[in-house]
Amino acid sequence: MPREEPQTDTVDILGLDPPLEMASADLDASDVEAVLSVLRSGRLALGPMAERFEAAMAEYVGVRHAVAVSSGTAALHILVRALGLGPGDEVLVPSFTFVASVTPLLFEGVKPVFLDIEDRTFNLDPEELERKRTARTRAVMVVDAFGHPAAWDEISAFGHAHGLRLIDDCCEALGAEHRGVRLGSLGDAGAFAFYPNKQMTTGEGGMVVTDDDELAALARSLRNQGRGAMGLWLTHERLGFNYRLDEMSAALGTSQLARLETFLERRAHVAELYRRRLDGVSFVRPPVVGHEVRMSWFVYVVLLEEGLEREPIMESMAAQGVPTRAYFSPIHLQPFIRKDLGTAPGDLPVTEAVARRTIALPFHNRLGADQVDRVVSALERAVEGVRRG
């Protein structure tokens, strides 16, 4: 769940094009009014808006339960705890992801076992599942990278065959579908995130979604300091967290969710603008989308051809007023992971090869054809400059 800089509207005083935004939330007057209505009510926490947001999200995803929490990381942490995962357990998880796919495991003393990816969609390679499974494997943390659904047919079959729990980290993939089924309804439970660079936003916030009644009840308790559903305020049935979502954020989320399909259509349109503009550009590969999925575009990540150095290209684009990001830096190569788990370069060859060559381009609902052309033109100039040396 990568973070982005705040929006900027600064215009260069020399008359150059203004800097482009890497990401930007799509907010309108209805969102403002939704938040103001909560402020006017005086009920800022533990009120009806969170329940309304949960009901709307459960209906959208197609599950019985949705539990609003303070972030996508909180949602994943609650799921790891609620599923009873702990010391001595192993969970299979791709390394090509944001760190929050892994830290909830570490919070609970679970050992992450890193999987390599396939180089088309950048999702976990299903053939890795059996290779990395051990007697201690208890679950798979599935990540739907950049909004593209993972190989759920193979993953579900693997999980069923070995009695493993399946957690869907669909924080980047709200609205995505696998064979017509919305993500969040596959596996035992899913987690969404609503940071401002996501498909919709609550500012900060997340959601646990599941069809499991017991899991949902436990998630509600864990987010609320371990209180029971009908217990007294100062009675705590278990160790829990303060992972609640406030009423203002829930109101914004409810308003945004009502327009989510419009947002997804706009993002798909921007992705198509990029695809057309990149057609015939030989040194990059645009994102690959499988025929069996509906992509929910989170970011737009291209793959450079082998031999191109990414960093000078990104520096050149920045000098032209075009921001980029190096998504993702593999988790198994993060300094604290290498120190604590003994991982090393060479462990995951496909992940490492891909991660050296991926660049996220500016991407949000309001990008037009002229801005997309500006981004790709900057990329072409940057690559030409690198090749000239």
Side-chain angles (χ1 to χ4, degrees):
M1 295 163 288
R3 302 300 202 225
E4 303 298 349
E5 286 76 15
Q7 177 177 336
T8 175
D9 294 316
T10 304
V11 177
D12 192 291
I13 60 173
L14 297 179
L16 301 176
D17 289 330
L20 289 170
E21 299 164 3
M22 188 68 197
S24 179
D26 194 332
L27 303 171
D28 70 8
S30 67
D31 299 321
V32 175
E33 180 55 35
V35 175
L36 287 176
S37 68
V38 170
L39 295 174
R40 295 187 190 106
S41 76
R43 185 71 179 269
L44 306 186
L46 294 171
M49 287 310 307
E51 294 178 0
R52 193 176 304 172
F53 185 30
E54 290 171 338
M57 185 62 70
E59 180 179 5
Y60 179 81
V61 175
V63 294
R64 287 201 297 272
H65 304 285
V67 182
V69 294
S70 55
S71 69
T73 307
L76 291 168
H77 189 192
I78 282 175
L79 285 175
V80 172
R81 171 70 68 84
L83 289 171
L85 301 172
D89 296 332
E90 295 179 353
V91 171
L92 305 178
V93 58
S95 173
F96 192 75
T97 183
F98 186 58
V99 71
S101 303
V102 175
T103 48
L105 302 173
L106 300 176
F107 293 158
E108 296 300 312
V110 178
K111 180 183 177 181
V113 175
F114 293 108
L115 305 175
D116 215 342
I117 57 173
E118 48 86 15
D119 65 1
R120 285 176 54 79
T121 66
F122 307 144
N123 281 314
L124 68 85
D125 182 350
E127 294 184 2
E128 281 277 275
L129 294 168
E130 192 60 54
R131 283 198 291 262
K132 299 293 179 67
R133 183 179 67 87
T134 73
R136 292 185 173 185
T137 304
R138 292 278 311 282
V140 183
M141 179 74 77
V142 184
V143 179
D144 306 292
F146 305 140
H148 191 293
W152 274 99
D153 291 341
E154 294 92 334
I155 294 168
S156 296
F158 173 79
H160 180 75
H162 298 290
L164 304 179
R165 310 307 292 265
L166 301 179
I167 303 171
D168 189 5
D169 177 356
C170 42
C171 288
E172 300 173 2
L174 180 61
E177 299 176 5
H178 180 268
R179 300 195 188 281
V181 178
R182 281 190 176 143
L183 297 191
S185 63
L186 300 171
D188 292 281
F192 291 111
F194 308 122
Y195 190 72
N197 64 341
K198 295 296 194 298
Q199 291 86 341
M200 57 163 276
T201 188
T202 59
E204 294 276 6
M207 191 78 71
V208 171
V209 290
T210 185
D211 278 324
D212 187 318
D213 299 341
E214 183 177 349
L215 188 60
L218 189 51
R220 294 183 190 281
S221 174
L222 289 171
R223 70 160 176 193
N224 192 27
Q225 305 281 18
R227 296 181 177 95
M230 304 300 292
L232 298 175
W233 184 249
L234 295 179
T235 299
H236 304 269
E237 298 180 357
R238 57 184 56 84
L239 178 65
F241 315 99
N242 183 1
Y243 281 168
R244 298 187 302 265
L245 186 71
D246 66 81
E247 287 287 277
M248 292 80 70
S249 298
L252 178 57
T254 304
S255 178
Q256 289 263 298
L257 182 57
R259 308 201 308 283
L260 177 60
E261 285 299 310
T262 298
F263 294 165
L264 297 181
E265 290 173 5
R266 290 175 181 170
R267 297 173 86 84
H269 174 68
V270 176
E272 178 62 14
L273 291 176
Y274 268 121
R275 188 196 65 78
R276 293 175 183 174
R277 178 61 180 81
L278 288 166
D279 186 37
V281 178
S282 61
F283 56 80
V284 296
R285 191 194 76 187
V288 176
V289 180
H291 68 275
E292 76 283 4
V293 308
R294 180 200 190 190
M295 181 82 169
S296 176
W297 292 93
F298 164 47
V299 287
Y300 196 87
V301 177
V302 298
L303 183 69
L304 296 172
E305 70 178 18
E306 293 187 25
L308 283 177
E309 292 187 53
R310 179 177 59 187
E311 282 64 31
I313 292 172
M314 295 175 65
E315 291 170 3
S316 173
M317 294 182 71
Q320 298 176 66
V322 178
T324 57
R325 296 292 180 273
Y327 286 172
F328 278 119
S329 179
I331 305 305
H332 76 285
L333 298 182
Q334 296 295 328
F336 81 102
I337 294 290
R338 293 185 62 180
K339 177 182 176 182
D340 293 347
L341 300 182
T343 53
D347 287 353
L348 303 173
V350 179
T351 293
E352 293 168 33
V354 165
R356 286 191 293 267
R357 297 158 49 209
T358 44
I359 295 182
L361 305 178
F363 189 78
H364 56 79
N365 298 10
R366 294 189 294 273
L367 277 180
D370 289 346
Q371 292 171 304
V372 167
D373 179 68
R374 179 182 166 193
V375 172
V376 178
S377 295
L379 176 61
E380 291 173 324
R381 288 190 292 269
V383 170
E384 182 181 358
V386 168
R387 285 174 167 171
R388 285 201 310 264

